[in-house]
Amino acid sequence: QVQLVESGGGLVQAGGSLRLSCATSTSIFGLHTMGWYRQPPGKQRELVATITTGGSTNYADSMKGRFTISMDNAKNTAYLQMNSLEAEDTAVYYCRAERLVLGGKFEYWGQGTQVTVSS
């Protein structure tokens, strides 16, 4: 079982920045992919960005150039740096981790952290 704990959410003005952290209870080297997803009010959960332990990243189009996902293997933590925040970025942000096993994969989710951007 892998536990994920997010932190760093809060209230910020439009144009501001926040950095979210996702601490894992296991070594990142035991995982394949980590990612951030978000769920705006009244909407479905959507992809923000993912990163593999090999360093490959993927971003949703609307986040490219504004958000950066990264990992610190020594701290077993993934980060999401969010710049130029907009009111539309208001959402609960969730961390996700994926571990590959023979014949399939396991996924784990954090409890979420609220990000509110005021216009």
Side-chain angles (χ1 to χ4, degrees), residues 11-59:
L11 174 64
V12 63
Q13 289 188 335
S17 299
L18 281 175
R19 188 177 80 155
L20 305 182
S21 300
C22 175
T24 73
S25 62
T26 187
S27 169
I28 282 182
F29 291 111
L31 302 172
H32 176 260
T33 304
M34 294 194 70
W36 289 93
Y37 293 73
R38 71 184 187 184
Q39 187 165 15
K43 297 184 179 180
Q44 292 187 333
R45 193 173 297 188
E46 60 184 8
L47 169 72
V48 175
T50 62
I51 184 169
T52 69
T53 50
S56 297
T57 58
N58 178 55
Y59 294 90

mmCIF file of all heavy atoms in Angstrom, residues 11-59:
data_model
loop_
_atom_site.group_PDB
_atom_site.id
_atom_site.type_symbol
_atom_site.label_atom_id
_atom_site.label_comp_id
_atom_site.label_asym_id
_atom_site.label_seq_id
_atom_site.Cartn_x
_atom_site.Cartn_y
_atom_site.Cartn_z
ATOM 1 N N LEU A 11 -5.163 29.768 -0.931
ATOM 2 C CA LEU A 11 -5.802 30.860 -1.650
ATOM 3 C C LEU A 11 -4.725 31.775 -2.225
ATOM 4 O O LEU A 11 -3.797 32.186 -1.510
ATOM 5 C CB LEU A 11 -6.704 31.651 -0.698
ATOM 6 C CG LEU A 11 -7.361 32.925 -1.250
ATOM 7 C CD1 LEU A 11 -8.321 32.581 -2.381
ATOM 8 C CD2 LEU A 11 -8.074 33.668 -0.127
ATOM 9 N N VAL A 12 -4.854 32.100 -3.504
ATOM 10 C CA VAL A 12 -3.876 32.954 -4.163
ATOM 11 C C VAL A 12 -4.612 33.851 -5.148
ATOM 12 O O VAL A 12 -5.660 33.484 -5.678
ATOM 13 C CB VAL A 12 -2.806 32.099 -4.879
ATOM 14 C CG1 VAL A 12 -3.412 31.266 -5.979
ATOM 15 C CG2 VAL A 12 -1.660 32.958 -5.395
ATOM 16 N N GLN A 13 -4.055 35.020 -5.396
ATOM 17 C CA GLN A 13 -4.655 35.926 -6.374
ATOM 18 C C GLN A 13 -4.282 35.508 -7.786
ATOM 19 O O GLN A 13 -3.226 34.880 -8.009
ATOM 20 C CB GLN A 13 -4.192 37.352 -6.108
ATOM 21 C CG GLN A 13 -4.776 37.971 -4.851
ATOM 22 C CD GLN A 13 -4.453 39.449 -4.718
ATOM 23 O OE1 GLN A 13 -3.451 39.923 -5.272
ATOM 24 N NE2 GLN A 13 -5.272 40.173 -3.992
ATOM 25 N N ALA A 14 -5.122 35.866 -8.723
ATOM 26 C CA ALA A 14 -4.832 35.581 -10.127
ATOM 27 C C ALA A 14 -3.482 36.175 -10.501
ATOM 28 O O ALA A 14 -3.147 37.295 -10.103
ATOM 29 C CB ALA A 14 -5.925 36.147 -11.015
ATOM 30 N N GLY A 15 -2.717 35.405 -11.248
ATOM 31 C CA GLY A 15 -1.369 35.802 -11.620
ATOM 32 C C GLY A 15 -0.304 35.322 -10.660
ATOM 33 O O GLY A 15 0.892 35.405 -10.972
ATOM 34 N N GLY A 16 -0.718 34.810 -9.527
ATOM 35 C CA GLY A 16 0.223 34.329 -8.523
ATOM 36 C C GLY A 16 0.682 32.907 -8.775
ATOM 37 O O GLY A 16 0.354 32.302 -9.808
ATOM 38 N N SER A 17 1.452 32.387 -7.820
ATOM 39 C CA SER A 17 2.041 31.051 -7.944
ATOM 40 C C SER A 17 1.813 30.246 -6.679
ATOM 41 O O SER A 17 1.668 30.794 -5.580
ATOM 42 C CB SER A 17 3.555 31.158 -8.198
ATOM 43 O OG SER A 17 3.834 31.852 -9.385
ATOM 44 N N LEU A 18 1.798 28.937 -6.846
ATOM 45 C CA LEU A 18 1.763 27.990 -5.733
ATOM 46 C C LEU A 18 2.593 26.784 -6.122
ATOM 47 O O LEU A 18 2.705 26.455 -7.316
ATOM 48 C CB LEU A 18 0.337 27.523 -5.427
ATOM 49 C CG LEU A 18 -0.594 28.427 -4.638
ATOM 50 C CD1 LEU A 18 -1.983 27.794 -4.569
ATOM 51 C CD2 LEU A 18 -0.064 28.682 -3.237
ATOM 52 N N ARG A 19 3.153 26.109 -5.132
ATOM 53 C CA ARG A 19 3.819 24.839 -5.368
ATOM 54 C C ARG A 19 3.169 23.771 -4.507
ATOM 55 O O ARG A 19 3.157 23.887 -3.271
ATOM 56 C CB ARG A 19 5.310 24.905 -5.074
ATOM 57 C CG ARG A 19 6.043 23.639 -5.518
ATOM 58 C CD ARG A 19 7.537 23.694 -5.312
ATOM 59 N NE ARG A 19 7.917 23.423 -3.943
ATOM 60 C CZ ARG A 19 9.106 22.952 -3.576
ATOM 61 N NH1 ARG A 19 10.021 22.705 -4.506
ATOM 62 N NH2 ARG A 19 9.392 22.760 -2.307
ATOM 63 N N LEU A 20 2.657 22.758 -5.163
ATOM 64 C CA LEU A 20 2.064 21.628 -4.465
ATOM 65 C C LEU A 20 3.113 20.537 -4.291
ATOM 66 O O LEU A 20 3.962 20.339 -5.157
ATOM 67 C CB LEU A 20 0.875 21.070 -5.245
ATOM 68 C CG LEU A 20 -0.231 22.059 -5.611
ATOM 69 C CD1 LEU A 20 -1.359 21.324 -6.333
ATOM 70 C CD2 LEU A 20 -0.753 22.779 -4.385
ATOM 71 N N SER A 21 3.021 19.840 -3.165
ATOM 72 C CA SER A 21 3.917 18.718 -2.883
ATOM 73 C C SER A 21 3.099 17.463 -2.658
ATOM 74 O O SER A 21 1.988 17.523 -2.128
ATOM 75 C CB SER A 21 4.761 19.004 -1.636
ATOM 76 O OG SER A 21 5.552 20.160 -1.794
ATOM 77 N N CYS A 22 3.666 16.342 -3.047
ATOM 78 C CA CYS A 22 3.038 15.039 -2.826
ATOM 79 C C CYS A 22 4.100 14.103 -2.277
ATOM 80 O O CYS A 22 4.989 13.654 -3.012
ATOM 81 C CB CYS A 22 2.461 14.498 -4.122
ATOM 82 S SG CYS A 22 1.799 12.817 -3.978
ATOM 83 N N ALA A 23 4.022 13.826 -0.992
ATOM 84 C CA ALA A 23 4.985 12.938 -0.337
ATOM 85 C C ALA A 23 4.464 11.511 -0.368
ATOM 86 O O ALA A 23 3.303 11.261 -0.028
ATOM 87 C CB ALA A 23 5.212 13.388 1.098
ATOM 88 N N THR A 24 5.326 10.581 -0.766
ATOM 89 C CA THR A 24 4.935 9.176 -0.828
ATOM 90 C C THR A 24 5.486 8.415 0.370
ATOM 91 O O THR A 24 6.518 8.800 0.934
ATOM 92 C CB THR A 24 5.452 8.516 -2.110
ATOM 93 O OG1 THR A 24 6.883 8.327 -1.997
ATOM 94 C CG2 THR A 24 5.186 9.378 -3.332
ATOM 95 N N SER A 25 4.802 7.339 0.724
ATOM 96 C CA SER A 25 5.226 6.521 1.863
ATOM 97 C C SER A 25 6.219 5.455 1.454
ATOM 98 O O SER A 25 6.677 4.674 2.279
ATOM 99 C CB SER A 25 4.009 5.862 2.519
ATOM 100 O OG SER A 25 3.366 5.004 1.601
ATOM 101 N N THR A 26 6.558 5.422 0.151
ATOM 102 C CA THR A 26 7.480 4.427 -0.358
ATOM 103 C C THR A 26 8.494 5.098 -1.273
ATOM 104 O O THR A 26 8.306 6.255 -1.663
ATOM 105 C CB THR A 26 6.734 3.332 -1.135
ATOM 106 O OG1 THR A 26 7.636 2.283 -1.477
ATOM 107 C CG2 THR A 26 6.146 3.893 -2.426
ATOM 108 N N SER A 27 9.529 4.392 -1.598
ATOM 109 C CA SER A 27 10.517 4.958 -2.500
ATOM 110 C C SER A 27 9.901 5.198 -3.871
ATOM 111 O O SER A 27 9.171 4.353 -4.394
ATOM 112 C CB SER A 27 11.712 4.023 -2.633
ATOM 113 O OG SER A 27 12.557 4.440 -3.692
ATOM 114 N N ILE A 28 10.209 6.344 -4.435
ATOM 115 C CA ILE A 28 9.708 6.653 -5.774
ATOM 116 C C ILE A 28 10.208 5.634 -6.781
ATOM 117 O O ILE A 28 9.545 5.364 -7.785
ATOM 118 C CB ILE A 28 10.114 8.089 -6.154
ATOM 119 C CG1 ILE A 28 9.195 9.098 -5.460
ATOM 120 C CG2 ILE A 28 10.071 8.296 -7.658
ATOM 121 C CD1 ILE A 28 9.480 10.529 -5.797
ATOM 122 N N PHE A 29 11.343 5.037 -6.528
ATOM 123 C CA PHE A 29 11.899 4.064 -7.470
ATOM 124 C C PHE A 29 11.015 2.830 -7.576
ATOM 125 O O PHE A 29 11.144 2.063 -8.519
ATOM 126 C CB PHE A 29 13.321 3.679 -7.063
ATOM 127 C CG PHE A 29 14.311 4.799 -7.248
ATOM 128 C CD1 PHE A 29 14.888 5.414 -6.146
ATOM 129 C CD2 PHE A 29 14.664 5.239 -8.507
ATOM 130 C CE1 PHE A 29 15.797 6.445 -6.308
ATOM 131 C CE2 PHE A 29 15.570 6.266 -8.673
ATOM 132 C CZ PHE A 29 16.127 6.869 -7.570
ATOM 133 N N GLY A 30 10.124 2.629 -6.606
ATOM 134 C CA GLY A 30 9.190 1.512 -6.699
ATOM 135 C C GLY A 30 7.946 1.837 -7.500
ATOM 136 O O GLY A 30 7.085 0.968 -7.689
ATOM 137 N N LEU A 31 7.869 3.062 -7.973
ATOM 138 C CA LEU A 31 6.708 3.496 -8.744
ATOM 139 C C LEU A 31 7.086 3.661 -10.202
ATOM 140 O O LEU A 31 8.264 3.723 -10.557
ATOM 141 C CB LEU A 31 6.203 4.827 -8.183
ATOM 142 C CG LEU A 31 5.817 4.823 -6.704
ATOM 143 C CD1 LEU A 31 5.519 6.237 -6.238
ATOM 144 C CD2 LEU A 31 4.633 3.905 -6.457
ATOM 145 N N HIS A 32 6.067 3.771 -11.056
ATOM 146 C CA HIS A 32 6.327 3.987 -12.476
ATOM 147 C C HIS A 32 6.023 5.418 -12.888
ATOM 148 O O HIS A 32 6.801 6.061 -13.590
ATOM 149 C CB HIS A 32 5.476 3.022 -13.315
ATOM 150 C CG HIS A 32 5.611 3.237 -14.781
ATOM 151 N ND1 HIS A 32 4.681 3.928 -15.529
ATOM 152 C CD2 HIS A 32 6.602 2.878 -15.642
ATOM 153 C CE1 HIS A 32 5.082 3.962 -16.791
ATOM 154 N NE2 HIS A 32 6.245 3.343 -16.887
ATOM 155 N N THR A 33 4.888 5.899 -12.421
ATOM 156 C CA THR A 33 4.431 7.229 -12.815
ATOM 157 C C THR A 33 3.808 7.924 -11.625
ATOM 158 O O THR A 33 3.119 7.292 -10.810
ATOM 159 C CB THR A 33 3.378 7.142 -13.935
ATOM 160 O OG1 THR A 33 3.919 6.420 -15.036
ATOM 161 C CG2 THR A 33 2.942 8.525 -14.391
ATOM 162 N N MET A 34 4.044 9.222 -11.548
ATOM 163 C CA MET A 34 3.301 10.046 -10.602
ATOM 164 C C MET A 34 2.635 11.172 -11.385
ATOM 165 O O MET A 34 3.129 11.576 -12.457
ATOM 166 C CB MET A 34 4.215 10.611 -9.523
ATOM 167 C CG MET A 34 4.783 9.534 -8.627
ATOM 168 S SD MET A 34 5.528 10.182 -7.134
ATOM 169 C CE MET A 34 4.074 10.754 -6.240
ATOM 170 N N GLY A 35 1.525 11.647 -10.857
ATOM 171 C CA GLY A 35 0.822 12.673 -11.595
ATOM 172 C C GLY A 35 -0.055 13.529 -10.715
ATOM 173 O O GLY A 35 -0.291 13.214 -9.538
ATOM 174 N N TRP A 36 -0.491 14.609 -11.292
ATOM 175 C CA TRP A 36 -1.432 15.510 -10.647
ATOM 176 C C TRP A 36 -2.693 15.592 -11.503
ATOM 177 O O TRP A 36 -2.606 15.711 -12.743
ATOM 178 C CB TRP A 36 -0.824 16.904 -10.490
ATOM 179 C CG TRP A 36 0.266 16.971 -9.476
ATOM 180 C CD1 TRP A 36 1.607 16.840 -9.697
ATOM 181 C CD2 TRP A 36 0.106 17.156 -8.061
ATOM 182 N NE1 TRP A 36 2.294 16.943 -8.511
ATOM 183 C CE2 TRP A 36 1.393 17.137 -7.493
ATOM 184 C CE3 TRP A 36 -0.985 17.344 -7.226
ATOM 185 C CZ2 TRP A 36 1.621 17.300 -6.125
ATOM 186 C CZ3 TRP A 36 -0.762 17.511 -5.863
ATOM 187 C CH2 TRP A 36 0.514 17.488 -5.325
ATOM 188 N N TYR A 37 -3.812 15.532 -10.824
ATOM 189 C CA TYR A 37 -5.117 15.682 -11.445
ATOM 190 C C TYR A 37 -5.868 16.732 -10.646
ATOM 191 O O TYR A 37 -5.518 17.025 -9.503
ATOM 192 C CB TYR A 37 -5.880 14.353 -11.431
ATOM 193 C CG TYR A 37 -5.250 13.301 -12.311
ATOM 194 C CD1 TYR A 37 -4.066 12.680 -11.946
ATOM 195 C CD2 TYR A 37 -5.830 12.939 -13.521
ATOM 196 C CE1 TYR A 37 -3.473 11.735 -12.761
ATOM 197 C CE2 TYR A 37 -5.252 11.981 -14.345
ATOM 198 C CZ TYR A 37 -4.066 11.388 -13.956
ATOM 199 O OH TYR A 37 -3.489 10.450 -14.766
ATOM 200 N N ARG A 38 -6.913 17.279 -11.250
ATOM 201 C CA ARG A 38 -7.696 18.278 -10.510
ATOM 202 C C ARG A 38 -9.179 18.110 -10.817
ATOM 203 O O ARG A 38 -9.555 17.596 -11.872
ATOM 204 C CB ARG A 38 -7.236 19.679 -10.850
ATOM 205 C CG ARG A 38 -7.583 20.158 -12.255
ATOM 206 C CD ARG A 38 -6.988 21.523 -12.514
ATOM 207 N NE ARG A 38 -7.437 22.087 -13.780
ATOM 208 C CZ ARG A 38 -7.014 23.233 -14.278
ATOM 209 N NH1 ARG A 38 -6.098 23.960 -13.607
ATOM 210 N NH2 ARG A 38 -7.480 23.680 -15.433
ATOM 211 N N GLN A 39 -9.987 18.568 -9.880
ATOM 212 C CA GLN A 39 -11.431 18.513 -10.049
ATOM 213 C C GLN A 39 -12.017 19.874 -9.717
ATOM 214 O O GLN A 39 -12.150 20.233 -8.535
ATOM 215 C CB GLN A 39 -12.060 17.435 -9.178
ATOM 216 C CG GLN A 39 -13.536 17.245 -9.446
ATOM 217 C CD GLN A 39 -14.070 15.950 -8.863
ATOM 218 O OE1 GLN A 39 -13.432 15.306 -8.029
ATOM 219 N NE2 GLN A 39 -15.239 15.543 -9.319
ATOM 220 N N PRO A 40 -12.334 20.654 -10.750
ATOM 221 C CA PRO A 40 -12.958 21.964 -10.513
ATOM 222 C C PRO A 40 -14.363 21.787 -9.948
ATOM 223 O O PRO A 40 -14.974 20.718 -10.128
ATOM 224 C CB PRO A 40 -12.992 22.599 -11.903
ATOM 225 C CG PRO A 40 -12.007 21.824 -12.716
ATOM 226 C CD PRO A 40 -12.049 20.434 -12.167
ATOM 227 N N PRO A 41 -14.907 22.793 -9.323
ATOM 228 C CA PRO A 41 -16.256 22.691 -8.754
ATOM 229 C C PRO A 41 -17.282 22.311 -9.815
ATOM 230 O O PRO A 41 -17.369 22.945 -10.868
ATOM 231 C CB PRO A 41 -16.521 24.091 -8.204
ATOM 232 C CG PRO A 41 -15.181 24.686 -7.995
ATOM 233 C CD PRO A 41 -14.296 24.093 -9.042
ATOM 234 N N GLY A 42 -18.051 21.266 -9.553
ATOM 235 C CA GLY A 42 -19.106 20.851 -10.459
ATOM 236 C C GLY A 42 -18.642 20.164 -11.724
ATOM 237 O O GLY A 42 -19.449 19.916 -12.626
ATOM 238 N N LYS A 43 -17.351 19.851 -11.808
ATOM 239 C CA LYS A 43 -16.821 19.224 -13.019
ATOM 240 C C LYS A 43 -16.132 17.914 -12.685
ATOM 241 O O LYS A 43 -15.919 17.581 -11.526
ATOM 242 C CB LYS A 43 -15.846 20.175 -13.725
ATOM 243 C CG LYS A 43 -16.484 21.467 -14.208
ATOM 244 C CD LYS A 43 -15.487 22.308 -14.965
ATOM 245 C CE LYS A 43 -16.130 23.599 -15.476
ATOM 246 N NZ LYS A 43 -15.152 24.444 -16.229
ATOM 247 N N GLN A 44 -15.780 17.190 -13.741
ATOM 248 C CA GLN A 44 -15.102 15.912 -13.551
ATOM 249 C C GLN A 44 -13.610 16.117 -13.310
ATOM 250 O O GLN A 44 -13.039 17.151 -13.673
ATOM 251 C CB GLN A 44 -15.320 15.033 -14.785
ATOM 252 C CG GLN A 44 -16.755 14.563 -14.973
ATOM 253 C CD GLN A 44 -16.883 13.566 -16.109
ATOM 254 O OE1 GLN A 44 -16.103 13.575 -17.046
ATOM 255 N NE2 GLN A 44 -17.868 12.688 -16.005
ATOM 256 N N ARG A 45 -13.003 15.120 -12.723
ATOM 257 C CA ARG A 45 -11.564 15.152 -12.503
ATOM 258 C C ARG A 45 -10.849 15.108 -13.852
ATOM 259 O O ARG A 45 -11.253 14.372 -14.755
ATOM 260 C CB ARG A 45 -11.144 13.968 -11.640
ATOM 261 C CG ARG A 45 -9.736 14.059 -11.099
ATOM 262 C CD ARG A 45 -9.457 12.937 -10.112
ATOM 263 N NE ARG A 45 -10.320 13.000 -8.937
ATOM 264 C CZ ARG A 45 -10.171 12.220 -7.873
ATOM 265 N NH1 ARG A 45 -9.179 11.334 -7.843
ATOM 266 N NH2 ARG A 45 -10.991 12.320 -6.849
ATOM 267 N N GLU A 46 -9.777 15.887 -13.963
ATOM 268 C CA GLU A 46 -9.055 15.972 -15.229
ATOM 269 C C GLU A 46 -7.553 15.914 -14.986
ATOM 270 O O GLU A 46 -7.061 16.257 -13.917
ATOM 271 C CB GLU A 46 -9.390 17.276 -15.960
ATOM 272 C CG GLU A 46 -9.039 18.535 -15.191
ATOM 273 C CD GLU A 46 -9.472 19.806 -15.900
ATOM 274 O OE1 GLU A 46 -10.181 19.728 -16.921
ATOM 275 O OE2 GLU A 46 -9.105 20.900 -15.424
ATOM 276 N N LEU A 47 -6.840 15.494 -16.008
ATOM 277 C CA LEU A 47 -5.388 15.412 -15.948
ATOM 278 C C LEU A 47 -4.779 16.802 -15.903
ATOM 279 O O LEU A 47 -5.210 17.708 -16.628
ATOM 280 C CB LEU A 47 -4.866 14.668 -17.172
ATOM 281 C CG LEU A 47 -3.357 14.731 -17.401
ATOM 282 C CD1 LEU A 47 -2.624 13.873 -16.375
ATOM 283 C CD2 LEU A 47 -3.015 14.299 -18.815
ATOM 284 N N VAL A 48 -3.755 16.951 -15.060
ATOM 285 C CA VAL A 48 -2.949 18.157 -15.062
ATOM 286 C C VAL A 48 -1.589 17.848 -15.694
ATOM 287 O O VAL A 48 -1.201 18.435 -16.695
ATOM 288 C CB VAL A 48 -2.755 18.725 -13.644
ATOM 289 C CG1 VAL A 48 -1.812 19.920 -13.672
ATOM 290 C CG2 VAL A 48 -4.099 19.102 -13.040
ATOM 291 N N ALA A 49 -0.870 16.893 -15.089
ATOM 292 C CA ALA A 49 0.455 16.540 -15.588
ATOM 293 C C ALA A 49 0.886 15.209 -14.981
ATOM 294 O O ALA A 49 0.437 14.842 -13.889
ATOM 295 C CB ALA A 49 1.483 17.618 -15.229
ATOM 296 N N THR A 50 1.739 14.496 -15.702
ATOM 297 C CA THR A 50 2.324 13.267 -15.192
ATOM 298 C C THR A 50 3.820 13.276 -15.442
ATOM 299 O O THR A 50 4.317 13.981 -16.326
ATOM 300 C CB THR A 50 1.723 12.023 -15.858
ATOM 301 O OG1 THR A 50 2.006 12.063 -17.267
ATOM 302 C CG2 THR A 50 0.221 11.935 -15.629
ATOM 303 N N ILE A 51 4.517 12.450 -14.652
ATOM 304 C CA ILE A 51 5.953 12.289 -14.815
ATOM 305 C C ILE A 51 6.302 10.849 -14.478
ATOM 306 O O ILE A 51 5.796 10.287 -13.511
ATOM 307 C CB ILE A 51 6.743 13.278 -13.924
ATOM 308 C CG1 ILE A 51 8.241 13.156 -14.174
ATOM 309 C CG2 ILE A 51 6.407 13.094 -12.445
ATOM 310 C CD1 ILE A 51 9.053 14.276 -13.532
ATOM 311 N N THR A 52 7.143 10.247 -15.311
ATOM 312 C CA THR A 52 7.602 8.896 -15.019
ATOM 313 C C THR A 52 8.884 8.957 -14.201
ATOM 314 O O THR A 52 9.563 10.001 -14.168
ATOM 315 C CB THR A 52 7.881 8.121 -16.311
ATOM 316 O OG1 THR A 52 9.030 8.683 -16.960
ATOM 317 C CG2 THR A 52 6.681 8.172 -17.251
ATOM 318 N N THR A 53 9.240 7.849 -13.582
ATOM 319 C CA THR A 53 10.483 7.830 -12.821
ATOM 320 C C THR A 53 11.682 7.958 -13.733
ATOM 321 O O THR A 53 12.782 8.247 -13.280
ATOM 322 C CB THR A 53 10.585 6.558 -11.982
ATOM 323 O OG1 THR A 53 10.325 5.423 -12.807
ATOM 324 C CG2 THR A 53 9.568 6.578 -10.848
ATOM 325 N N GLY A 54 11.462 7.775 -15.049
ATOM 326 C CA GLY A 54 12.521 8.007 -16.019
ATOM 327 C C GLY A 54 12.642 9.459 -16.413
ATOM 328 O O GLY A 54 13.558 9.842 -17.145
ATOM 329 N N GLY A 55 11.695 10.289 -15.951
ATOM 330 C CA GLY A 55 11.777 11.720 -16.206
ATOM 331 C C GLY A 55 10.912 12.238 -17.338
ATOM 332 O O GLY A 55 10.901 13.443 -17.609
ATOM 333 N N SER A 56 10.165 11.384 -17.983
ATOM 334 C CA SER A 56 9.300 11.836 -19.072
ATOM 335 C C SER A 56 8.062 12.515 -18.496
ATOM 336 O O SER A 56 7.441 11.995 -17.569
ATOM 337 C CB SER A 56 8.879 10.652 -19.944
ATOM 338 O OG SER A 56 10.007 10.060 -20.553
ATOM 339 N N THR A 57 7.718 13.652 -19.071
ATOM 340 C CA THR A 57 6.578 14.421 -18.567
ATOM 341 C C THR A 57 5.497 14.561 -19.636
ATOM 342 O O THR A 57 5.763 14.487 -20.837
ATOM 343 C CB THR A 57 7.005 15.825 -18.117
ATOM 344 O OG1 THR A 57 7.622 16.502 -19.221
ATOM 345 C CG2 THR A 57 7.981 15.756 -16.959
ATOM 346 N N ASN A 58 4.283 14.784 -19.144
ATOM 347 C CA ASN A 58 3.138 14.995 -20.022
ATOM 348 C C ASN A 58 2.226 16.007 -19.351
ATOM 349 O O ASN A 58 2.005 15.927 -18.133
ATOM 350 C CB ASN A 58 2.390 13.674 -20.248
ATOM 351 C CG ASN A 58 1.169 13.859 -21.117
ATOM 352 O OD1 ASN A 58 1.266 14.375 -22.218
ATOM 353 N ND2 ASN A 58 0.002 13.455 -20.626
ATOM 354 N N TYR A 59 1.739 16.976 -20.130
ATOM 355 C CA TYR A 59 0.896 18.026 -19.582
ATOM 356 C C TYR A 59 -0.402 18.144 -20.375
ATOM 357 O O TYR A 59 -0.421 17.966 -21.594
ATOM 358 C CB TYR A 59 1.607 19.382 -19.651
ATOM 359 C CG TYR A 59 2.830 19.495 -18.783
ATOM 360 C CD1 TYR A 59 4.082 19.149 -19.271
ATOM 361 C CD2 TYR A 59 2.740 19.956 -17.476
ATOM 362 C CE1 TYR A 59 5.215 19.255 -18.483
ATOM 363 C CE2 TYR A 59 3.869 20.072 -16.671
ATOM 364 C CZ TYR A 59 5.095 19.712 -17.190
ATOM 365 O OH TYR A 59 6.213 19.810 -16.401
#
